[in-house]
Amino acid sequence: MPDDAHSLEASQADDPIAVRRSKAEAMRSSGEEPYKDRYGRTHLAAELHAAHAALPAGEDSGVTAAVAGRVLAKRDQGKVAFLVLRDGSGEIQLFCRADALGAERFRDAIDAIDVGDWVGAKGEVVRTRRGELSVVPTELVVLSKSLRPLPEKFHGLTDVETRYRQRYVDLIANPEVRQTFEKRFAAIAAIRRYMESRGFVEVETPMLHPIPGGAAARPFVTHHNALDMDLYLRIAPELYLKRLLVGGFERVYELNRSFRNEGISVRHNPEFTMLEAYEAFTNLEGMMRLAEGIVTAAAEASCGSLVVEYQGTRIDFTPPWPRRTLLELVSEAAGEEVSFERSLDDLRALCDRHEVPWEPAWGKGKLITELFEKLAEHAIVGPMFVVEYPLETSPLARKKPGQPELTERFEVIVVGREIANAFSELIDPDDQRERFEAQARAKAGGDEEAMGYDEDYLRAMEYGMPPAGGLGVGIDRLVMLLTDSPSIRDVILFPHMRPEA
């Protein structure tokens, strides 16, 4: 062999991608396309396991099946070879024999296949003497040639950064990751079924907003060239869904993607999934029942139980969930009464004693909310309805009768984090206008998370909005709890990452 051929062979042996490319080129040279356009699969792996569960070891079934999937393992023993094939339902073994494929075709096919390739195989279903249900191929074809080797079997893909960035490999290498997302999909499907059973209709509202509204958050800004105007990625669909209440849709919801230009943490991703629902002629009590129903439906579908364990803590989602007021909880955590009877300076001093940062522009409601979040919230196991949030931090909620500094609002807290938020909705347009004006003053004072002033929404309210309750559920945080996932990035298929170096 010439020296340059030896050097090429040696370089390929050191480079698995080059080896795989050479196999793909060899297939093309022989007239076979390494990237097929279809395959006539007749059975899934799970279907074969279910249909032949009673087949004894060492017996043939007499049934011919065509299967297709990714090769996860390959064991070549000369005249026989064993391939582990995974499809969307599970795994099945291919018991490849020279006498079934033909000696020449057998060797060519086995040599061409690498772990990671997508292959199709057709043959009789048998159970080997060792008890492994298998397909004995009389046809074995490469459907898509993998050019990059998968992570080594026993070590897998363990680097967290790489797992999130290359989720496609993570799903192949780590079966438990696939199970996490299967639970997510089951939970979301169950929520949709539950909402439909309650008479809610699923709607779609804009993702590009002329005014950021519906929540207190910093928005992403983009520009529409044709209209020459800035637009904001949706921080919440709330104000559009309420417009539909005005228009006569009495029960609406949206499973939506929303965007907030905030930090990334184990609980926050700039792009996230949220359910928002609005129901006419009900109030906070109705939203409590709705929240319990949504969460229990998701838990039953994804976990098969209302009792789950999250990071070593047992959580029982069985309704009814306990209720506590925010003022009660923050007073207990502070070791003294916290109320609106105290002066502004007194509440600021209380924040200082507990090392809770505050801003000069904050009123009593904001100070009390910050004290609750820093001192009390983290200790709640829940699920618990925390009720009666301050008006200052609840600009879209109805005031509590007799206590106008508080609102008819709750948050559902589980293991120290909010998973749902609800109001008895504010339907008085004059009251709403005053709240928007207060938010506008806060924004002018430097609060980047204050809501925008939405005159069209006020106009809609002036046509008359029915009494209503509204609920938002953080789907990603709920799935974290149901899958025992420590980070929100574990339950988002493609979380946002810093650019690769």
Side-chain angles (χ1 to χ4, degrees):
M1 183 180 292
D3 289 343
D4 58 347
H6 277 296
S7 62
L8 176 61
E9 189 176 84
S11 67
Q12 287 185 339
D14 294 335
D15 184 351
I17 294 179
V19 172
R20 289 168 180 246
R21 285 190 179 278
S22 69
K23 290 184 179 182
E25 288 305 315
M27 292 176 67
R28 288 193 177 98
S29 298
S30 69
E32 181 183 359
E33 171 57 51
Y35 300 100
K36 310 291 192 301
D37 68 339
R38 64 184 297 275
Y39 187 75
R41 181 169 66 181
T42 62
H43 292 80
L44 295 172
E47 293 171 343
L48 294 178
H49 283 289
H52 302 285
L55 186 66
E59 294 291 325
D60 300 343
S61 70
V63 174
T64 297
V67 295
R70 186 190 294 276
V71 175
L72 294 185
K74 174 183 175 182
R75 186 157 49 95
D76 187 353
Q77 297 183 346
K79 293 187 177 181
V80 297
F82 299 91
L83 305 177
V84 176
L85 197 73
R86 179 196 286 165
D87 62 22
S89 71
E91 297 177 2
I92 189 79
Q93 179 173 269
L94 302 184
F95 179 17
C96 306
R97 301 197 315 235
D99 61 343
L101 273 168
E104 186 175 344
R105 278 195 303 151
F106 169 84
R107 182 43 49 199
D108 289 346
I110 296 304
D111 287 347
I113 292 172
D114 292 298
V115 171
D117 290 355
W118 291 86
V119 305
K122 182 179 180 180
E124 186 177 5
V125 179
V126 306
R127 194 173 295 279
T128 66
R129 286 193 296 271
R130 294 189 176 184
E132 188 70 33
L133 191 72
S134 306
V135 173
V136 179
T138 55
E139 172 185 283
L140 183 63
V141 295
V142 174
L143 303 177
S144 181
K145 186 67 191 170
S146 165
L147 299 182
R148 291 179 180 270
L150 297 179
E152 196 272 324
K153 177 180 177 182
F154 294 102
H155 297 95
L157 187 65
T158 56
D159 178 71
V160 172
E161 186 85 4
T162 305
R163 285 183 50 231
Y164 295 147
R165 196 179 299 280
Q166 299 180 22
R167 183 69 85 189
Y168 40 88
V169 184
D170 191 25
L171 290 165
I172 301 167
N174 299 314
E176 67 278 5
V177 173
R178 182 187 180 95
Q179 292 165 10
T180 291
F181 287 103
E182 287 173 343
K183 285 186 174 184
R184 179 190 176 105
F185 305 151
I188 291 174
I191 289 170
R192 280 196 162 99
R193 290 193 298 271
Y194 177 79
M195 297 301 285
E196 184 177 7
S197 75
R198 289 284 305 272
F200 283 82
V201 293
E202 185 173 6
V203 301
E204 296 172 321
T205 63
M207 297 177 73
L208 291 173
H209 290 188
I211 300 168
R218 181 185 297 179
F220 286 95
V221 185
T222 187
H223 189 78
H224 192 292
N225 292 332
L227 296 177
D228 191 24
M229 64 180 291
D230 284 345
L231 293 169
Y232 303 89
L233 291 183
R234 170 171 64 194
I235 58 176
E238 178 167 345
L239 300 187
Y240 283 96
L241 290 171
K242 289 182 184 177
R243 285 172 168 92
L244 295 179
L245 290 179
V246 172
F249 285 100
E250 296 178 359
R251 294 187 179 193
V252 295
Y253 81 98
E254 184 171 9
L255 269 164
N256 64 91
R257 304 289 286 180
S258 290
F259 308 84
R260 297 183 184 177
N261 198 352
E262 299 167 347
I264 295 174
S265 73
V266 294
R267 299 188 191 183
H268 297 90
N269 194 66
E271 179 180 2
F272 60 96
T273 303
M274 178 168 55
L275 177 143
E276 283 214 13
Y278 294 87
E279 180 178 355
F281 313 121
T282 189
N283 60 9
L284 209 62
E285 290 290 331
M287 293 302 98
M288 287 181 175
R289 291 190 294 273
L290 184 62
E292 289 173 338
I294 288 170
V295 172
T296 55
E300 286 279 16
S302 60
C303 303
S305 173
L306 297 183
V307 180
V308 303
E309 185 171 294
Y310 182 74
Q311 302 296 292
T313 299
R314 181 180 182 273
I315 305 168
D316 187 350
F317 286 110
T318 305
W321 301 340
R323 309 174 186 188
R324 298 289 305 280
T325 71
L326 182 144
L327 287 175
E328 289 172 347
L329 291 165
V330 71
S331 295
E332 289 177 6
E336 58 185 283
E337 184 181 5
V338 179
S339 73
F340 285 87
E341 302 301 317
R342 300 178 69 158
S343 69
L344 193 61
D345 288 340
D346 198 10
L347 289 172
R348 289 171 174 170
L350 182 60
C351 286
D352 290 339
R353 288 199 296 276
H354 290 282
E355 299 181 345
V356 175
W358 54 272
E359 299 290 338
W362 292 356
K364 293 181 183 181
K366 177 66 170 173
L367 293 170
I368 290 172
T369 301
E370 288 292 313
L371 283 164
F372 166 73
E373 291 178 353
K374 300 299 191 300
L375 302 182
E377 189 175 51
H378 66 88
I380 299 171
V381 174
M384 177 185 290
F385 291 114
V386 177
V387 300
E388 299 181 8
Y389 276 70
L391 176 67
E392 185 179 353
T393 55
S394 311
L396 297 169
R398 180 185 288 270
K399 293 176 183 176
K400 180 177 173 60
Q403 293 181 273
E405 69 275 6
L406 297 175
T407 60
E408 293 186 356
R409 173 186 172 190
F410 71 69
E411 287 189 358
V412 177
I413 308 297
V414 187
V415 289
R417 65 194 65 181
E418 171 210 345
I419 66 164
N421 183 28
F423 315 143
S424 290
E425 294 297 335
L426 174 61
I427 64 172
D428 179 341
D430 294 331
D431 189 349
Q432 184 65 78
R433 187 178 298 277
E434 291 175 6
R435 311 265 193 107
F436 276 164
E437 288 170 352
Q439 289 287 299
R441 288 192 295 271
K443 186 179 286 289
D447 185 350
E448 295 181 336
E449 294 187 352
M451 289 189 199
Y453 191 103
D454 192 335
E455 185 63 46
D456 179 71
Y457 176 65
L458 292 171
R459 178 170 56 192
M461 291 185 73
E462 289 172 349
Y463 279 96
M465 183 185 296
L471 170 70
V473 179
I475 298 298
D476 305 312
R477 290 186 181 180
L478 175 58
V479 173
M480 285 174 64
L481 296 173
L482 298 179
T483 58
D484 195 18
S485 299
S487 170
I488 196 170
R489 295 194 291 181
D490 293 326
V491 300
I492 296 175
L493 279 168
F494 300 103
H496 287 275
M497 308 289 292
R498 295 183 187 278
E500 289 188 82

